[in-house]
Amino acid sequence: MLGRTANGLYWMFRYIERAENGARLIDAGLRMSLTRSEATEDDWDGVLQSAGVRELYDQVHDRLTSSDAIDFLLRDRANPSSVMSCIEAGRHNARMVRTALTRETWEATNECWIAMKESLTRKVRPAEMPEVIDAIKRRTGLIRGAFHGTMLRNEIFNFSRIGTFIERADNTARILDVKYYVLLPAVAAVGSSMDNVQWESILRSVSAHRAYGWVYDAELKPANIADFLISNGRMPRSLAYCYEKIVSNLGYLAREYGEKHAAHETAEQTLQSLRSRSIDDIMDQGLHEYLEEFISHNNRVGQEITDGYRFYN
C-alpha cells in the first residue's frame, strides 16, 4: 500500500475519533461544572488545557468565558481540533482514499459532515447542547458501524483501527486529566460527595458508568475509576484496551509486510507497562504526571508509525 493511502486512512479515522472525543470532552466539562456549587469560568481553563488548545484559545479570545470556550472546542475553524474542523478533515481524508473505502463507509462519513455542518452553522445554545453532543456521538458511531460491517480485514482495516485507537487512548487520558485540573483549586473536596459526583461524570462522559457498575458493584472510588479507565482490558475506552488493539493491528501489519518498525517495540512496551503497573503505583506517582507521560509516549508511537510506514511518500 502506498504511504499516502495509509496516511489518509490513519488520519481519516483519527479525525473522526477526535471529533467524537471533542464532544465527550465538552460533555465532561459541562458535567463537571454542573457539580460545583460555585462553578467559574476557570473550570473551562482545565478543559482547554487538557485539549491542548489553551494557548490557541488565547490567540483568538481576549478573555475566558464558558460560552466562548465551548464554541471554540465545538465549531471554531481557528481551532484545528474543534469538532467541526475534525469532521471536515476526516471527510477530506476519506475523499482522498475513496477507492479504499466501501460505499457504506463513505456515505456515513459524508452524511455526518452534512448533518454537522447544518447543526454547527451557528453558536449552539445551552439548551441544545445535549442534543448536539449526542448527535455527534451518534453520527461518528455510524461511520464506525458501517466500516466494521462492510470492510475487508486487511491492511486498510489495520491502519484505520490503529488511527482510531491512538486517538482514543489520547482522549481517555485527557478526559481523566480534566478531573485533575477542575479539582486542583479545591483539594479539600477530594473524597467528598461532590468529588464522587465528579468522578461519576467522568465515567458518563466516556459511556462507562454502567460498565463500571458491573465490575465494581457501582461503588464509586477514585482509584477504582482510574484503574478501570487505565488498566481494564475489557473496557473499550481504557488505555490498556486501546493498546491491545494497537499492538494487535501492528502485528497484522508486521506479518503482512514481513517487517517490524520502532513503533512495534514502543507500543508493546507501553502495553506491558499498562498491564504491569498497579493503580497504587500510578496514584503514588501522581495521576496528572502519569497521564502526561502516557500522552507523550502515545504521541511517540503515532510518530513512529508515520515514519515507519512512510506516510509522506
Side-chain angles (χ1 to χ4, degrees):
M1 178 185 291
L2 291 174
R4 61 176 175 269
T5 302
N7 178 66
L9 291 162
Y10 173 85
W11 278 104
M12 171 192 169
F13 280 91
R14 280 204 70 163
Y15 280 124
I16 295 301
E17 184 72 21
R18 189 176 297 179
E20 178 181 346
N21 294 340
R24 290 181 181 278
L25 198 62
I26 294 168
D27 188 34
L30 288 169
R31 289 178 182 274
M32 297 281 275
S33 63
L34 288 172
T35 66
R36 292 165 65 86
S37 57
E38 297 181 1
T40 68
E41 306 295 356
D42 288 341
D43 289 347
W44 287 95
D45 175 65
V47 178
L48 292 168
Q49 293 274 12
S50 292
V53 295
R54 184 64 174 95
E55 291 183 6
L56 186 59
Y57 176 90
D58 287 337
Q59 294 173 18
V60 178
H61 296 279
D62 294 330
R63 65 190 185 93
L64 176 61
T65 68
S66 59
S67 176
D68 285 343
I70 292 169
D71 192 63
F72 186 73
L73 292 167
L74 193 59
R75 56 184 289 276
D76 197 328
R77 283 179 169 78
N79 175 13
S81 294
S82 73
V83 171
M84 194 65 234
S85 294
C86 289
I87 289 173
E88 289 181 337
R91 179 180 180 269
H92 174 71
N93 278 276
R95 287 183 65 187
M96 290 195 303
V97 296
R98 175 71 183 85
T99 57
L101 301 172
T102 59
R103 177 176 59 84
E104 291 83 356
T105 303
W106 162 251
E107 288 180 353
T109 304
N110 197 46
E111 288 167 6
C112 174
W113 173 73
I114 292 170
M116 291 302 102
K117 190 177 180 182
E118 181 178 347
S119 296
L120 300 177
T121 52
R122 57 175 177 78
K123 207 167 189 176
V124 179
R125 293 191 293 267
E128 299 171 336
M129 194 63 65
E131 182 180 349
V132 169
I133 288 174
D134 284 346
I136 294 165
K137 291 190 286 187
R138 186 168 58 252
R139 285 287 180 178
T140 53
L142 286 172
I143 297 171
R144 282 198 304 275
F147 180 78
H148 272 272
T150 62
M151 288 296 298
L152 192 67
R153 268 44 175 179
N154 57 9
E155 68 268 32
I156 293 172
F157 186 83
N158 298 141
F159 281 117
S160 302
R161 295 292 281 166
I162 290 168
T164 294
F165 287 108
I166 288 283
E167 192 64 38
R168 185 175 295 180
D170 180 85
N171 173 72
T172 296
R174 290 182 185 278
I175 282 185
L176 272 171
D177 214 28
V178 169
K179 179 69 170 74
Y180 166 85
Y181 274 113
V182 171
L183 269 189
L184 191 60
V187 176
V190 174
S192 68
S193 59
M194 180 189 298
D195 186 41
N196 290 337
V197 170
Q198 289 177 330
W199 278 107
E200 180 180 348
S201 297
I202 290 294
L203 286 173
R204 290 188 183 279
S205 69
V206 293
S207 301
H209 184 258
R210 180 167 295 182
Y212 174 86
W214 292 335
V215 176
Y216 292 102
D217 297 325
E219 185 178 3
L220 292 174
K221 291 184 177 179
N224 287 348
I225 294 171
D227 183 57
F228 188 60
L229 296 181
I230 292 171
S231 306
N232 193 302
R234 296 177 296 171
M235 165 53 192
R237 289 190 172 272
S238 75
L239 306 186
Y241 183 92
C242 289
Y243 263 82
E244 286 174 2
K245 295 301 180 183
I246 292 166
V247 168
S248 172
N249 281 279
L250 282 172
Y252 287 127
L253 290 176
R255 290 190 288 275
E256 178 73 21
Y257 295 120
E259 61 179 351
K260 287 188 174 184
H261 301 289
H264 290 80
E265 182 178 355
T266 305
E268 288 167 3
Q269 289 173 350
T270 302
L271 177 58
Q272 181 58 35
S273 175
L274 287 165
R275 286 173 170 171
S276 62
R277 289 198 65 178
S278 70
I279 193 61
D280 290 336
D281 287 342
I282 291 171
M283 291 300 196
D284 287 343
Q285 175 186 345
L287 183 59
H288 172 62
E289 289 73 18
Y290 174 83
L291 293 171
E292 278 194 325
E293 183 179 296
F294 174 83
I295 290 170
S296 176
H297 288 169
N298 191 54
N299 289 339
R300 177 183 167 189
V301 173
Q303 186 58 53
E304 288 176 348
I305 290 168
T306 296
D307 295 339
Y309 289 100
R310 297 180 289 278
F311 279 1
Y312 303 113
N313 293 338

